[in-house]
RNA sequence: GCGGAGAUGGCGGAAUUGGCAGACGCACUAGCUUGAGGUGCUAGCGGGUAACACCGUGCAGGUUCAAGUCCUGUUCUCCGCACCA
């Protein structure tokens, strides 16, 4: 009991207010929810389904603020949709394979699985402590055989269809990770996990998944995602796929039967090609440069500076050899150029310096001929001219508009057999082999007689052995684990050696959200009928850092599964929301900067409700937010204000119900405005920061009206207030719900409806402008006509002063909104 | 270089459709509460002025009765891509 309270001797029979004790309240409801897991169970046969999903976390052992933010957004939506009558699927799992477990093993000798499972249990506690309404009966950990056996199963299906294949290729090798990286995992020439560690090129036999088989569909599908996905993610994907339409043309090498194939988007400029330039890694480069060129060639290949295109100077040398232009027979020198990429097109280009800036730069530097073959339709030709125009100097094609020449010339090349129209993608097939232990074993066997053979379905899963020694040096631990790799060939039964590479962990996250629908199925990855009930995901929420990696791979996987006949949806998710980062002092929270705020510490000090409220309040969810500790305290104070208000008014609910008092009306009006605002925001823009601001305004209003509130309005006000808080602060909401004598859980009750009756005001305050500047305000009855508004405005003392001696030119009246009087003189 | 997002008080941010700029919170100030401190409650809080006037949404123009919002140009910041032939 607080003697200091101003209500302790109040006129009304108010209960003494209670102080907000977050610890007591949250412990109580946490325990309560733990005892009753059915509370969050997903309905079995959804009629009005809503699948809300947040990206699954890597179980590092600790939650960070990014998680708290991501899951607070998703949980608010999940609770709201549930209150709106939807059958909500809101699951959670663990992206549990990956390198950190092996590093932990090295450092502390912990077995990776044991380390991972302990982290999972710790983080699960953290998520529960934050009160997220998740269906834990559907939890999935990707490191468990029940899950990864289906990675293997899918791999076999892809292998059967030629979508998984093995080839020797130049791969990105991170010396720190001692493994291969996918193109997507190389950032600025360095490893995505080890900034500053340059990625090396090595030639290795690798497994690939044929993402390029779906390149066109991955690209065209982007159009259907527009509106539901952020534009910038779609742009990033479009650029990543990088489709370009052009032609491939063969140049015959002089004094040789061999040919050089180039890719160009501007075959119309081929008569202006004054040299061919090969990437230094081009397979024919070594031969063409001859013995005297080897040293220069190697110097260019090894030049690390090539990774940074902004600072690199174009460099190269002539091989001394020539090729013949198939269109005009021109003898064209063959060069090596450091700016030509082996990984794009054919690794060889025809340089047309007159019509390409890069070629112009290169050819100017080395004084190679520059021959213009396109001129603008109007005006002077200035080089380099890269636009479309009219061809000239191009034999029979001279005079043709460029766009037309492109087509005709590609067609001619095809008929004559020295080229063809071609489409090139920047997207490469997905290299999935990793020389690591803690991942899904690739279900293949190498046999001396039969070659590479797939493991039979009935022998799945290929279990990852747990008794391994992790040394961090040399080969993968699996390659040293004889009882793992020693096996028999599935075809001939002879001695075989298992593939000891494991799969990239992005495989795990490419389809996990399907498994959530049917997580305990042990005869197939999932029952297609169940998928049909829940897919596509209605709302996916996560960080923008996954815009290309995870989000392209999972789109690819969905298309493969569809073509396997397992699902019918073309895309995994209709809507994607990318939340902003959590910053502190203008920088991303990180260990190295020492600016981490630990959600669990925050929960201990202020409670989960305050933590959730603050991450939503500090900025709109899609924007980066800057952490301010004092801001957290403000949220805590707000919850205290609400709590004291509800508890001290709880026993006024059952008084005699009479007419609504003026304060009742005022409070109800504010309440219903708030309901309308928050409902609309959930449906449209997700500006939860303003929703919380609206709840604060409502609370402030209730404080001001408090003395005059009666039992005619209070029950509705308190009940709705609690419901409006429920998506954001479930613990305190549940506690207050009980305090006012209602039966929970709060989210099982329907979301409050706006009653327009309460929104009506008897009088309206209308701003009055003179020449567009605010000069006063008038109070008129609601619904007053334009004439009344104008007359009242002109009659207003303040306004009249501004009008005195001037001529009224025009009066703009927006009924119910504004009056603007235009004067002159 | 290309593409995208943004620039609003001391700070985080609001203004959804061109219609009262600065909601809400933080910080700060005052009054009340308190033995004091803290808490709590009430109020003030863009600059400027005694009060008005006036000035004010990165900068310069424009459209409009009316512009943070639309148009043109420009600067800066962040993000993504980057010799993709």
């Amino acid at each position: 009991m607080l003697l200091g309270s101003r209500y302790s001797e109040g006129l009304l029979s108010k209960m003494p207010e209670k102080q907000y004790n977050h610890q007591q309240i949250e412990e109580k409801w946490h325990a309560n929810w733990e005892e009753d897991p059915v509370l969050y169970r997903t309905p079995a046969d959804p009629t009005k389904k809503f699948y809300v999903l947040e990206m699954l976390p890597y179980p590092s052992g600790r939650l960070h603020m990014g998680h708290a933010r991501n899951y607070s957004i998703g949980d608010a939506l999940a609770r709201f949709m549930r209150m709106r009558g939807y059958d909500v699927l809101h699951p959670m799992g663990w992206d549990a394979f990956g390198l950190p477990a092996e590093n932990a093993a090295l450092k502390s000798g912990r077995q990776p699985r044991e380390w991972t499972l302990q982290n999972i249990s710790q983080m699960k506690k953290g998520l529960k402590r934050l009160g997220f309404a998740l269906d834990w009966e559907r939890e999935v950990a990707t490191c468990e055989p029940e899950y990864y056996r289906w990675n293997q199963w899918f791999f076999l299906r892809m292998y059967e269809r030629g979508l998984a294949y093995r080839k020797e290729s130049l791969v990105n090798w991170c010396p720190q990770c001692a493994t291969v990286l996918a193109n997507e995992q190389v950032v600025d020439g360095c490893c995505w996990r080890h900034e500053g560690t340059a990625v090396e090129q090595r030639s290795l036999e690798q497994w690939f998944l044929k993402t390029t088989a779906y390149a066109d569909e991955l690209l065209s599908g982007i159009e259907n995602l527009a509106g539901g996905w952020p534009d910038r993610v779609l742009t990033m994907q479009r650029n990543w796929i990088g489709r370009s339409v052009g032609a491939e043309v063969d140049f015959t090498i002089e004094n040789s039967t061999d040919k050089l194939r180039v890719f160009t988007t501007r075959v119309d400029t081929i008569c202006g090609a004054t040299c061919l330039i090969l990437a230094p890694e081009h397979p024919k480069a070594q031969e063409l440069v001859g013995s005297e060129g080897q040293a220069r060639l190697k110097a260019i290949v090894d030049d690390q500076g090539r990774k940074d295109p902004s600072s690199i100077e174009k460099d190269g040398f002539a091989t001394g050899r020539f090729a013949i232009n198939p269109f005009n027979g021109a003898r064209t020198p063959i060069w090596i150029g450091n700016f030509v990429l082996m990984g794009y097109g054919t690794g060889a280009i025809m340089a047309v310096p007159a019509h390409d800036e890069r070629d112009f730069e290169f050819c100017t530097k080395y004084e190679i001929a520059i021959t213009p073959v396109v001129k603008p339709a109007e005006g002077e030709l200035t080089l380099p001219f890269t636009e479309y125009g009219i061809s000239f100097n191009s034999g029979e094609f001279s005079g043709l508009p460029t766009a037309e020449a492109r087509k005709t010339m590609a067609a001619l090349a095809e008929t004559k057999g020295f080229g063809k129209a071609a489409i090139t993608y920047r997207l490469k097939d997905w290299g999935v082999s990793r020389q690591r232990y803690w991942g899904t074993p690739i279900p293949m066997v190498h046999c001396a007689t039969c070659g590479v053979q797939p493991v039979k379905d009935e022998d799945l899963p290929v279990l990852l052995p747990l008794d391994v020694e992790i040394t961090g040096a040399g080969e993968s631990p699996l390659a040293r684990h004889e009882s793992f790799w020693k096996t028999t060939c599935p075809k001939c039964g002879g001695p075989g050696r298992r593939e000891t590479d494991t799969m990239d962990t992005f495989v795990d996250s490419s389809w996990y959200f399907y498994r959530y629908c049917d997580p305990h199925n042990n005869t197939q990855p999932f029952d297609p009928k169940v998928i049909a009930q829940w897919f596509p995901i209605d709302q996916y929420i996560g960080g923008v850092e996954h815009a290309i990696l995870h989000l392209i791979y999972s789109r690819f996987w969905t298309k493969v599964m569809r073509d396997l006949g397992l699902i019918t949806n073309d895309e995994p998710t209709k809507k994607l929301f990318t939340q902003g980062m959590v910053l502190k002092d203008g920088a991303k929270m990180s260990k190295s900067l020492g600016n981490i705020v630990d959600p669990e510490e925050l929960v201990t000090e202020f409670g989960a409700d305050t933590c959730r409220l603050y991450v939503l309040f500090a900025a709109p969810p899609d924007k980066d937010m800057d952490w301010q500790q004092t801001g957290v305290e403000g949220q805590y104070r707000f919850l205290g204000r609400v709590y004291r208000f509800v508890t001290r008014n709880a026993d006024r609910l059952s008084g005699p119900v009479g007419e609504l008092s003026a304060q009742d009306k005022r409070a109800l009006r504010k309440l219903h405005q708030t309901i309308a605002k928050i409902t609309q925001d959930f449906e449209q823009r997700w500006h939860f920061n303003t929703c919380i601001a609206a709840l604060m305004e409502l609370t402030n209003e209730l404080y001001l009206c408090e003395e005059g509130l009666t039992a005619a309005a209070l029950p509705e006000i308190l009940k709705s207030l609690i419901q409006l808080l429920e998506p954001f602060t479930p613990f305190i909401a549940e506690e207050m719900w009980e305090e006012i004598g209602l039966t929970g859980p709060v989210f099982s009750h329907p979301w409050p409806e706006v009653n327009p009756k309460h929104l009506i005001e008897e009088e309206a305050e209308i701003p009055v402008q003179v020449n567009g500047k605010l000069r006063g305000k008038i109070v008129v009855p609601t619904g007053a006509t334009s004439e009344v508004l104008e007359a009242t405005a002109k009659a207003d003392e303040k306004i009249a002063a501004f009008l005195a001696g001037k001529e009224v030119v025009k009066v703009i009246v927006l009924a119910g909104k504004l009056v603007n009087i235009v004067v002159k003189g």
Side-chain angles (χ1 to χ4, degrees):
Chain A
M1 163 94 70
L2 287 149
L3 296 173
S5 164
R6 74 184 173 118
Y7 293 102
S8 54
E9 295 165 58
L11 299 169
L12 296 155
S13 62
K14 281 178 196 149
M15 284 172 117
E17 64 186 21
K18 289 188 187 175
Q19 288 300 296
Y20 173 46
N21 181 335
H22 69 271
Q23 213 169 346
Q24 208 181 333
I25 292 171
E26 294 187 4
E27 270 168 22
K28 168 180 163 187
W29 289 105
H30 180 247
N32 192 301
W33 295 334
E34 279 295 278
E35 274 170 35
D36 193 4
V38 178
L39 218 58
Y40 297 135
R41 182 178 285 167
T42 311
D45 285 302
T47 48
K48 206 177 153 193
K49 70 100 181 178
F50 194 86
Y51 187 176
V52 54
L53 179 72
E54 299 101 56
M55 291 180 184
L56 85 177
Y58 177 79
S60 62
R62 279 224 156 272
L63 285 176
H64 55 69
M65 270 311 160
H67 293 130
R69 191 174 192 203
N70 189 179
Y71 304 144
S72 294
I73 295 166
D75 197 52
L77 182 68
R79 287 176 186 268
F80 172 77
M81 293 308 282
R82 193 158 168 175
M83 288 188 271
R84 297 283 277 183
Y86 286 84
D87 296 320
V88 172
L89 173 56
H90 188 212
M92 184 56 70
W94 310 97
D95 186 17
F97 271 138
L99 206 45
E102 287 183 61
N103 293 338
L106 268 180
K107 239 173 140 180
S108 63
R110 305 279 307 279
Q111 205 284 329
R113 178 168 182 270
E114 187 199 317
W115 180 84
T116 305
L117 294 187
Q118 195 191 334
N119 285 348
I120 287 176
S121 106
Q122 216 169 312
M123 284 176 76
K124 187 170 168 180
K125 266 186 215 150
L127 293 178
K128 286 186 167 183
R129 187 61 195 75
L130 279 162
F132 299 128
L134 295 161
D135 181 354
W136 287 107
E137 293 178 1
R138 290 168 184 260
E139 180 180 4
V140 164
T142 60
C143 65
E144 297 293 61
E146 293 74 29
Y147 184 79
Y148 72 67
R149 70 172 292 180
W150 302 113
N151 285 345
Q152 297 171 339
W153 186 87
F154 281 121
F155 190 93
L156 294 175
R157 300 291 83 76
M158 291 195 204
Y159 180 76
E160 287 160 5
R161 307 186 136 229
L163 292 171
Y165 67 95
R166 189 170 165 81
K167 75 169 180 198
E168 165 127 12
S169 71
L170 276 182
V171 292
N172 306 301
W173 177 271
C174 172
Q176 286 272 339
C177 303
T179 190
V180 163
L181 303 177
N183 289 344
E184 290 81 354
Q185 292 164 336
V186 180
V187 180
D188 292 332
C190 293
C191 173
W192 68 311
R193 311 190 63 96
H194 300 102
E195 285 175 61
T197 300
V199 170
E200 299 168 6
Q201 299 297 305
R202 289 198 183 181
S203 192
L204 281 178
E205 283 263 308
Q206 297 289 305
W207 286 99
F208 288 85
L209 299 183
K210 212 167 191 171
T211 41
T212 54
Y214 288 89
D216 261 325
E217 202 194 333
L218 287 169
L219 185 67
S220 62
I222 286 176
E223 282 171 41
N224 305 325
L225 298 174
W229 285 41
D231 285 339
R232 67 173 175 149
V233 172
L234 297 179
T235 306
M236 284 163 77
Q237 292 213 351
R238 219 176 264 125
N239 292 341
W240 189 262
I241 295 166
R243 180 181 198 262
S244 61
V245 179
E248 289 180 356
V249 181
D250 292 329
F251 282 63
T252 312
I253 301 173
E254 195 181 60
N255 303 324
S256 162
T257 52
D258 213 358
K259 288 170 180 173
L260 275 177
R261 172 161 285 201
V262 301
F263 174 76
T264 178
T265 54
R266 292 292 303 272
V267 68
D268 54 288
T269 63
I270 195 164
C271 294
T274 53
C275 64
L276 297 189
I277 311 176
L278 307 190
E281 299 88 351
H282 194 282
K284 289 175 183 152
Q286 290 207 0
E287 178 203 329
L288 289 167
V289 299
S291 51
E292 62 277 19
Q294 296 299 327
R296 295 184 76 178
L297 186 65
K298 185 164 190 317
I300 297 183
V301 170
D302 289 346
D303 177 15
Q304 279 302 324
R306 288 176 70 204
K307 300 291 182 193
D308 179 8
S310 61
S311 62
I312 186 184
E313 168 158 358
K314 289 193 175 38
D315 187 20
F317 63 97
T319 61
R321 301 286 297 271
F322 291 81
I324 305 302
N325 185 328
F327 276 87
N328 61 3
R331 190 164 173 263
T332 312
I334 303 171
W335 284 65
I336 303 295
N338 66 343
F339 68 101
V340 178
L341 305 173
M342 190 56 226
Y344 185 76
T346 62
I349 63 162
M350 58 176 211
V352 185
H355 305 295
D356 182 283
E357 280 172 32
R358 298 154 300 180
D359 300 345
F360 185 81
E361 191 187 331
F362 187 82
C363 292
T364 307
K365 176 171 173 183
Y366 291 107
E367 298 181 334
I368 299 166
I370 297 174
T371 312
V373 292
V374 180
K375 58 188 174 192
E378 289 165 21
E380 290 290 294
L381 170 66
T382 48
L383 299 182
F385 174 69
T386 60
E387 314 282 304
Y388 281 5
I390 310 292
S391 292
F392 70 105
N393 251 345
S394 300
E396 58 186 294
F397 304 102
S398 296
L400 282 181
T402 310
E404 202 177 313
R406 263 181 89 191
K407 285 182 202 153
T408 329
M409 292 170 84
L412 181 83
E414 190 145 10
T415 18
K416 295 252 173 116
F418 53 78
K420 61 174 185 192
I423 294 169
T424 292
Y425 297 93
R426 210 187 84 115
L427 180 77
K428 295 277 165 266
D429 282 341
W430 176 12
V432 292
S433 294
R434 296 292 179 272
Q435 291 68 48
R436 307 301 322 179
Y437 161 65
W438 193 231
T440 305
I442 293 175
M444 290 285 165
V445 174
H446 301 267
C447 167
T449 27
C450 313
V452 178
Q453 290 299 321
V455 171
K456 293 198 166 100
D457 275 6
E458 56 267 33
D459 295 329
L460 295 183
V462 175
L463 282 173
L464 190 63
L466 299 177
D467 57 333
V468 289
E469 190 197 352
I470 294 172
T471 61
E475 283 182 302
S476 145
L478 290 181
R480 289 191 310 263
H481 193 286
E482 190 175 309
S483 64
F484 172 76
W485 60 256
K486 203 168 185 182
T487 184
T488 52
C489 171
K491 193 174 176 192
C492 71
R497 185 186 165 94
R498 275 192 200 287
E499 173 65 67
T500 54
D501 284 356
T502 51
M503 297 183 199
D504 182 3
T505 56
F506 279 105
V507 168
D508 309 325
S509 53
S510 290
W511 67 281
Y512 73 101
F513 31 73
Y514 289 94
R515 184 70 179 173
Y516 283 147
C517 295
D518 194 11
H520 308 296
N521 198 320
N522 53 21
T523 56
Q524 47 186 338
F526 44 73
D527 180 349
K529 289 201 295 287
V530 183
I531 299 300
Q533 287 183 319
W534 288 107
F535 266 77
I537 298 162
D538 294 278
Q539 183 68 61
Y540 197 21
I541 306 167
V544 74
E545 63 273 19
H546 295 108
I548 34 190
L549 294 158
H550 163 57
L551 290 168
I552 282 195
Y553 294 145
S554 52
R555 290 183 61 216
F556 162 74
W557 211 276
T558 288
K559 292 177 193 306
V560 172
M561 294 196 307
R562 178 203 59 199
D563 290 349
L564 288 169
L566 294 173
I567 57 174
T568 54
N569 50 299
D570 294 320
E571 295 285 348
T573 175
K574 280 195 271 209
K575 290 181 82 183
L576 171 72
F577 186 89
T578 50
Q579 97 242 16
M581 284 188 300
V582 183
L583 309 175
K584 180 131 190 285
D585 313 319
K588 194 174 175 177
M589 284 188 186
S590 77
K591 260 187 215 155
S592 57
L593 289 170
N595 60 351
I596 290 184
V597 180
D598 182 343
E600 306 203 18
E601 282 171 26
L602 195 78
V603 166
T604 308
E605 195 177 348
F606 295 98
D609 284 333
T610 297
C611 178
R612 296 172 55 133
L613 202 61
Y614 182 66
V615 294
L616 295 176
F617 179 75
D622 58 318
K623 297 267 176 14
D624 290 349
M625 63 173 280
D626 202 57
W627 192 269
Q628 293 194 335
Q629 195 64 29
T630 50
V632 177
E633 288 156 26
Q635 305 310 302
Y636 188 78
R637 275 195 285 250
F638 164 64
L639 290 179
R641 257 167 91 75
V642 174
Y643 185 73
R644 291 191 303 273
F645 181 87
V646 171
T647 51
R648 72 181 171 240
N649 287 290
D651 77 339
R652 295 171 66 198
L653 298 173
S654 51
V657 175
E659 291 284 299
L660 292 174
S661 69
Q663 283 89 343
D664 284 339
K665 287 183 186 164
R666 187 175 149 192
L668 283 170
R669 182 156 59 240
K670 191 72 181 176
L671 172 69
H672 283 267
Q673 283 167 354
T674 309
I675 297 171
K677 192 248 176 310
I678 296 179
T679 307
Q680 193 194 358
D681 241 304
F682 265 108
E683 288 169 349
Q684 290 168 22
R685 17 170 252 171
W686 287 23
H687 280 203
F688 299 134
N689 55 330
T690 63
C691 292
I692 294 163
L695 285 164
M696 291 172 170
E697 282 187 61
L698 171 61
T699 305
N700 292 345
E701 190 80 353
L702 292 176
Y703 265 65
L704 297 177
C705 300
E706 185 168 6
E707 290 289 344
L709 294 177
T710 75
L714 262 173
E716 181 188 351
I717 290 169
L718 295 188
K719 184 180 172 198
S720 298
L721 171 66
I722 294 166
Q723 289 179 296
L724 293 172
L725 280 162
E726 161 72 11
F728 310 113
T729 56
F731 291 95
I732 196 174
E734 206 64 56
E735 175 71 9
M736 294 189 299
W737 195 256
E738 191 181 73
E739 291 275 2
I740 64 170
L742 296 172
T743 310
V746 181
F747 66 63
S748 65
H749 296 258
W751 184 254
E753 297 277 344
V754 177
N755 184 343
K757 171 179 96 181
H758 292 305
L759 295 175
I760 296 164
E761 293 187 61
E762 281 149 24
E763 290 185 326
E765 194 186 51
I766 306 291
V768 181
Q769 299 177 333
V770 178
N771 285 347
K773 286 187 181 174
L774 182 71
R775 295 302 186 190
K777 290 181 181 181
I778 52 172
V779 175
V780 294
T782 304
T785 61
S786 299
E787 290 73 26
V788 173
L789 279 168
E790 182 176 338
T792 317
K794 283 179 175 165
D796 183 83
E797 202 179 326
K798 269 199 206 151
I799 301 304
F802 279 96
L803 302 180
K806 308 213 168 112
E807 183 195 345
V808 174
V809 179
K810 196 172 174 183
V811 180
I812 289 122
V813 183
L814 277 100
K817 274 204 152 175
L818 170 126
V819 178
N820 185 15
I821 302 170
V822 186
V823 297
K824 79 175 176 193

